[in-house]
Amino acid sequence: MAKAVDSEEFVDHYLMLCLPSGEKGSKLSLNQIEKAYRKQSLKRHPDKRPNDPDATADFQCLTISYETLRDISSRAIFDSRLHSMREKAFQASFCYDKRRKLSFDLKERERAAAASELDPASRKEKMVAAELQQELAAFQSRKAKKIGYASTPLMSQQEKAKENVGASSDEKKVLKVSWERDGRDYDAVQLTKLFERFGRVEDVVIKSKKSKKKGSAIVVMSSKVAAVAATQSMIGDISNPLLVLPLQASSSTSTKFPTRLPKPFDPKLNNIIGAGFQDYEASVLKKLEKVKEKDRVS
């Protein structure tokens, strides 16, 4: 016979009616539940147990369980709660068994390790294995150092060669531009527009205006072809043309200046004929000779 419990505690209504709980209880029909209630109410009625002080409370719990299972919605809620509680209890017992097994295995390993440490033969084998590991590590370290020393000079030579090739290819795209300040002066925007007809201009750097008579700049083209095309054409205003030289040629000791100017690239210059163009050509040659003499003196 089920005993009365506090209202705050969980009550299994199936067990209160002395019915099977869990999945079997959820499958019981309403007639089976009513039959069980009538049977238990006859046995557990307070009139049948006048000397039992808990008879009234027990009968009240029996009635509550019957009313709960009699109602379809309340019974469904109770079945869901009961199933959830059973799942939690099963998981808790499974985790407890698993922890217990892990603890047992750990103790067995510790016991086996302690027994092996006491064995002189196993202790000697461990010492030999540790010495072999140290010798192998030392051998691999010496071998790695030898390979590193052998490959370092070769790698440095290859890296230097790549740097030289890259530097020389970049210098071939750089032009040194100079002009006289007594005529038309040039800025970075104007130089960019003038050189863009030969190719894309990556950068233009105007040197500091220390000299009032002569201006200079560095023009970086996008390719060597564009730089060569710029050196082979006359650029700038007719009254103050630009002297365009490759940077490599200007940095060498034996700088050579052209004795004659190439044909003008601008088709407008083809209309200049007679003594006027000859005077212009002579003035440009004179300016080139002055630059050549300054470089020789410096």
Side-chain angles (χ1 to χ4, degrees):
M1 183 178 296
K3 293 183 179 181
V5 293
D6 296 338
S7 59
E8 295 181 356
E9 295 181 357
F10 175 76
V11 177
D12 192 338
H13 299 299
Y14 292 106
L15 297 180
M16 183 62 68
L17 296 174
C18 296
L19 292 171
S21 183
E23 294 183 1
K24 292 182 179 181
S26 62
K27 295 178 181 179
L28 294 174
S29 64
L30 184 59
N31 292 331
Q32 291 175 324
I33 294 173
E34 290 178 351
K35 185 178 180 180
Y37 171 69
R38 286 195 297 268
K39 183 178 180 180
Q40 293 297 323
S41 62
L42 291 174
K43 291 181 179 180
R44 296 158 64 178
H45 195 275
D47 294 340
K48 299 287 185 179
R49 298 182 292 170
N51 298 327
D52 189 356
D54 297 329
T56 303
D58 181 58
F59 189 79
Q60 289 176 355
C61 291
L62 180 66
T63 305
I64 292 172
S65 298
Y66 170 67
E67 294 294 336
T68 302
L69 297 179
R70 183 182 178 185
D71 185 69
I72 298 175
S73 59
S74 60
R75 182 181 180 185
I77 295 172
F78 172 74
D79 288 339
S80 177
R81 183 183 178 188
L82 184 62
H83 178 74
S84 176
M85 293 179 65
R86 288 181 178 273
E87 285 291 331
K88 290 181 180 179
F90 174 77
Q91 292 178 1
S93 63
F94 177 77
C95 292
Y96 173 76
D97 293 338
K98 190 174 181 180
R99 287 195 299 268
R100 186 176 179 182
K101 185 176 183 304
L102 291 174
S103 176
F104 178 78
D105 293 341
L106 179 60
K107 290 180 179 179
E108 287 294 326
R109 286 196 297 269
E110 290 177 351
R111 192 180 296 109
S116 62
E117 289 179 357
L118 297 175
D119 188 6
S122 61
R123 192 186 309 163
K124 186 176 181 180
E125 289 179 0
K126 289 182 179 180
M127 292 177 61
V128 172
E131 292 177 358
L132 289 175
Q133 287 288 345
Q134 292 178 0
E135 291 180 1
L136 180 60
F139 173 75
Q140 291 178 350
S141 177
R142 290 194 298 269
K143 186 177 180 180
K145 288 181 180 179
K146 289 181 180 179
I147 294 174
Y149 292 150
S151 60
T152 300
L154 179 60
M155 292 297 293
S156 61
Q157 290 177 4
Q158 292 177 353
E159 290 175 357
K160 288 180 181 179
K162 289 180 181 179
E163 290 178 358
N164 293 333
V165 171
S168 61
S169 61
D170 290 340
E171 289 180 357
K172 290 178 182 179
K173 299 188 298 183
V174 182
L175 301 174
K176 182 180 179 182
V177 183
S178 59
W179 64 89
E180 298 294 334
R181 292 189 184 276
D182 54 358
R184 175 187 174 184
D185 202 0
Y186 298 93
D187 56 13
V189 177
Q190 294 173 344
L191 292 175
T192 302
K193 291 181 179 180
L194 291 172
F195 283 88
E196 276 182 346
R197 59 179 179 171
F198 305 106
R200 186 170 60 86
V201 179
E202 293 184 352
D203 195 9
V204 176
V205 180
I206 304 293
K207 292 187 177 181
S208 59
K209 298 181 180 180
K210 293 182 179 179
S211 175
K212 295 182 179 180
K213 295 182 179 181
K214 185 178 179 181
S216 61
I218 297 295
V219 179
V220 182
M221 304 299 293
S222 60
S223 63
K224 179 184 175 183
V225 177
V228 173
T231 57
Q232 294 177 355
S233 304
M234 187 175 68
I235 308 173
D237 192 77
I238 297 177
S239 61
N240 190 14
L242 298 172
L243 177 61
V244 183
L245 297 173
L247 182 63
Q248 285 184 335
S250 63
S251 61
S252 60
T253 55
S254 58
T255 306
K256 295 183 180 180
F257 293 91
T259 56
R260 295 184 63 84
L261 284 173
K263 292 182 180 181
F265 183 82
D266 195 348
K268 295 180 181 180
L269 295 176
N270 293 331
N271 298 326
I272 303 175
I273 58 175
F277 182 77
Q278 292 177 358
D279 294 340
Y280 166 74
E281 186 178 10
S283 65
V284 172
L285 288 172
K286 188 175 180 181
K287 292 179 180 179
L288 292 174
E289 291 296 332
K290 287 182 180 179
V291 173
K292 184 176 180 180
E293 289 177 0
K294 289 181 181 179
D295 289 344
R296 287 177 179 177
V297 171
S298 61

